[in-house]
Amino acid sequence: MLLKEALARKIKDSRGEYTIEVKVNNSIASSPSGKSTGKYETPCFHKSLQWNIDFINKAKFNLEINNFNDLNKVESFIKKSAKLKDAKQFGANALFALESAILKALAKEQKKELWQIVSLGKKINKIPVPAGNAIGGGLHSSNKDKPSFQEFLLIPQGKSAKENFKIMQEAYKKLKNQVKAKGKNDEGAWQTSLTEEEILEVLSKFKNIRIGIDIAASSFYKPEAYCYKNKCLNSQMQVMYLNSLIKKYNIFYSEDPVQEEDFSGFSEVVKSSNHLVVGDDLTATHIDRLKKAIRKKSINAMIVKPNQNGSLLELKEIFNICRKNNIRTILSHRSGETMDNALADYAVGFGADFIKCGISTKYREVKLNRLVSIEKRIKS
Ligand code: 2PG
Ligand code: MG
């Protein structure tokens, strides 16, 4: 495929904030945006959203793109023409939307699916398991008496993506009354006044569902202490408190249990439990942070967010490093989402173990539906 030009424009995300959409030939891709953003995330845009839009609209690419690895040419072009040391300085949202639109156009031209382009034709042998946010607190929720933990995730144990989607949806519906829901939050998860323990108590009654939590601990870490509604805990107490919850409620997955600078605190959680200890703000989808977390044995699972990095080539490398080091991978949406469903293609194509993309609202359902249709295609 000869990539001549791309068209960029601004669109609104699910939170009503502006983000970037890029069109290559007739293929469209866009980037989401986060609210509980990690300190180490790549900035979304270079100088501003408008600067990136103007740059893309004026660029004369003239690049021959025939497979996933040819994104190298795109990144070199950007570095040279925007005079950057690293393509990521272009801004993660802008780079991701551009690369994603290029791959979608390539897929269309080669009459393939996006996930086939991403996997470079390798045989796909697994469909990622969804981890769906059902109940929310922290920065994503607006009710005053919300829990401090940001997300309570349902990790279904069905035999297929289709069954898993159904299990999550049914549980999500039941939860509305069980947690006395006060509307939905940014990710379509129920808002509630119940405490962390009361929510875990409810979740532990479901069969076929394992419990995940995104503590997003940096968001309530006031210098030196984790401050909840009714208590402040130092780092050691935070680890002890979490370990007691993990044990009592048989928690399968905990994301960002301590704040994003605390590699040793993460290691303590890994040492003292045998569940998935997931880095998100800690690792911020960056290779160097991942390598440090591996050296320090801080995690055994990692969140990968395309727009926390921007480069799909680096994302591929991250998946390779994780595989070699036995780190489970979770490809994740953001709290501000678009209708782009490519997250499912990337999760399948890169071979992610899990996909975190919510349960409810059209922005989340579109990704789960895409996962189900990819599964159907692979099985047929
Ligand atoms: C997270 C994400 C997605 P945000 O912390 O894992 O759920 O939130 O997009 O606000 O960073
Ligand atoms: Mg997180």
Side-chain angles (χ1 to χ4, degrees):
M1 174 184 89
L2 179 64
L3 170 67
K4 283 193 185 149
E5 56 179 22
L7 284 172
R9 64 172 190 143
K10 59 180 183 185
I11 58 163
K12 283 192 175 166
D13 69 17
S14 57
R15 256 197 295 260
E17 285 165 17
Y18 281 116
T19 186
I20 190 164
E21 181 188 84
V22 179
K23 188 166 162 187
V24 171
N25 301 338
N26 272 322
S27 298
I28 294 173
S30 55
S31 276
S33 70
K35 192 182 249 176
S36 74
T37 46
K39 191 166 153 191
Y40 295 96
E41 290 191 26
T42 306
C44 293
F45 302 105
H46 181 49
K47 290 180 182 153
S48 65
L49 167 59
Q50 197 53 50
W51 183 91
N52 280 102
I53 289 175
D54 294 341
F55 181 95
I56 292 172
N57 286 337
K58 281 183 205 142
K60 301 261 172 288
F61 291 95
N62 279 321
L63 302 171
E64 191 59 42
I65 308 288
N66 294 316
N67 62 44
F68 180 89
N69 290 330
D70 282 342
L71 288 178
N72 251 322
K73 298 180 191 171
V74 177
E75 295 190 6
S76 302
F77 172 90
I78 288 199
K79 274 196 284 188
K80 208 167 153 205
S81 39
K83 299 190 180 58
L84 305 171
K85 279 204 197 103
D86 183 331
K88 287 187 304 202
Q89 288 171 348
F90 189 61
N93 276 31
L95 186 60
F96 169 61
L98 174 64
E99 292 193 358
S100 193
I102 293 170
L103 293 187
K104 286 186 185 188
L106 180 65
K108 206 177 268 174
E109 201 191 75
Q110 296 187 350
K111 299 195 172 45
K112 288 181 181 157
E113 299 285 335
L114 177 58
W115 54 270
Q116 292 173 311
I117 297 285
V118 176
S119 69
L120 283 159
K122 275 197 218 104
K123 198 170 160 28
I124 299 293
N125 51 21
K126 71 170 182 244
I127 293 286
V129 174
N133 185 7
I135 302 160
L139 291 180
H140 293 168
S141 293
S142 55
N143 58 315
K144 254 205 238 128
D145 44 3
K146 62 193 175 183
S148 303
F149 288 3
Q150 182 179 284
E151 297 163 28
F152 294 82
L153 303 155
L154 309 181
I155 305 177
Q157 294 181 289
K159 289 191 184 67
S160 64
K162 197 173 169 196
E163 195 186 334
N164 280 336
F165 191 7
K166 196 165 162 246
I167 294 173
M168 285 197 304
Q169 276 186 321
E170 283 173 5
Y172 173 83
K173 273 190 208 135
K174 284 190 192 143
L175 283 167
K176 184 177 183 183
N177 288 332
Q178 292 176 336
V179 302
K180 303 182 187 73
K182 298 180 160 177
K184 293 181 182 184
N185 76 358
D186 283 5
E187 291 191 358
W190 299 121
Q191 304 197 140
T192 180
S193 320
L194 299 196
T195 63
E196 278 81 4
E197 294 218 35
E198 285 167 336
I199 297 168
L200 290 168
E201 197 64 56
V202 172
L203 293 181
S204 61
K205 303 277 184 298
F206 283 104
K207 294 205 174 74
N208 274 337
I209 292 177
R210 292 182 291 195
I211 303 174
I213 42 178
D214 183 359
I215 295 144
S218 297
S219 66
F220 56 98
Y221 184 68
K222 317 274 181 250
E224 308 295 307
Y226 296 91
C227 288
Y228 295 83
K229 261 189 272 185
N230 52 358
K231 59 181 178 239
C232 282
L233 304 177
N234 68 22
S235 297
Q236 215 184 350
M237 286 155 74
Q238 167 80 350
V239 172
M240 277 165 54
Y241 171 56
L242 292 176
N243 278 338
S244 69
L245 294 183
I246 292 162
K247 227 167 145 190
K248 185 166 176 197
Y249 297 104
N250 197 17
I251 292 172
F252 172 72
Y253 164 125
S254 71
E255 185 178 323
D256 285 339
V258 291
Q259 52 100 0
E260 63 204 328
E261 309 284 2
D262 193 2
F263 283 87
S264 322
F266 269 80
S267 314
E268 288 304 313
V269 186
V270 170
K271 252 190 268 167
S272 50
S273 70
N274 60 356
H275 80 312
L276 293 183
V277 181
V278 186
D280 174 14
D281 292 345
L282 180 85
T283 34
T285 318
H286 273 258
I287 291 178
D288 293 347
R289 308 263 316 160
L290 166 62
K291 286 186 176 163
K292 185 169 175 186
I294 291 171
R295 269 198 319 276
K296 294 192 155 262
K297 297 192 171 51
S298 305
I299 54 169
N300 51 32
M302 178 182 175
I303 284 278
V304 181
K305 291 170 172 164
N307 86 316
Q308 251 183 352
N309 180 304
S311 162
L312 283 164
L313 292 167
E314 276 200 20
L315 247 55
K316 187 170 171 228
E317 202 179 331
I318 286 171
F319 275 96
N320 286 338
I321 298 173
C322 286
R323 242 186 309 272
K324 277 190 202 128
N325 290 279
N326 218 4
I327 305 283
R328 311 290 293 279
T329 46
I330 303 107
L331 196 72
S332 169
H333 67 167
R334 302 306 305 256
S335 47
E337 262 301 335
T338 71
M339 286 299 284
D340 197 326
N341 63 6
L343 198 77
D345 289 74
Y346 291 116
V348 171
F350 284 130
D353 297 297
F354 300 91
I355 178 169
K356 183 167 112 158
C357 60
I359 302 174
S360 167
T361 73
K362 61 181 182 185
Y363 301 97
R364 322 284 157 186
E365 284 166 7
V366 77
K367 293 159 182 73
L368 289 167
N369 283 328
R370 173 73 185 148
L371 190 69
V372 172
S373 75
I374 296 174
E375 174 180 73
K376 207 167 150 195
R377 169 84 193 262
I378 287 174
K379 282 187 176 167
S380 67

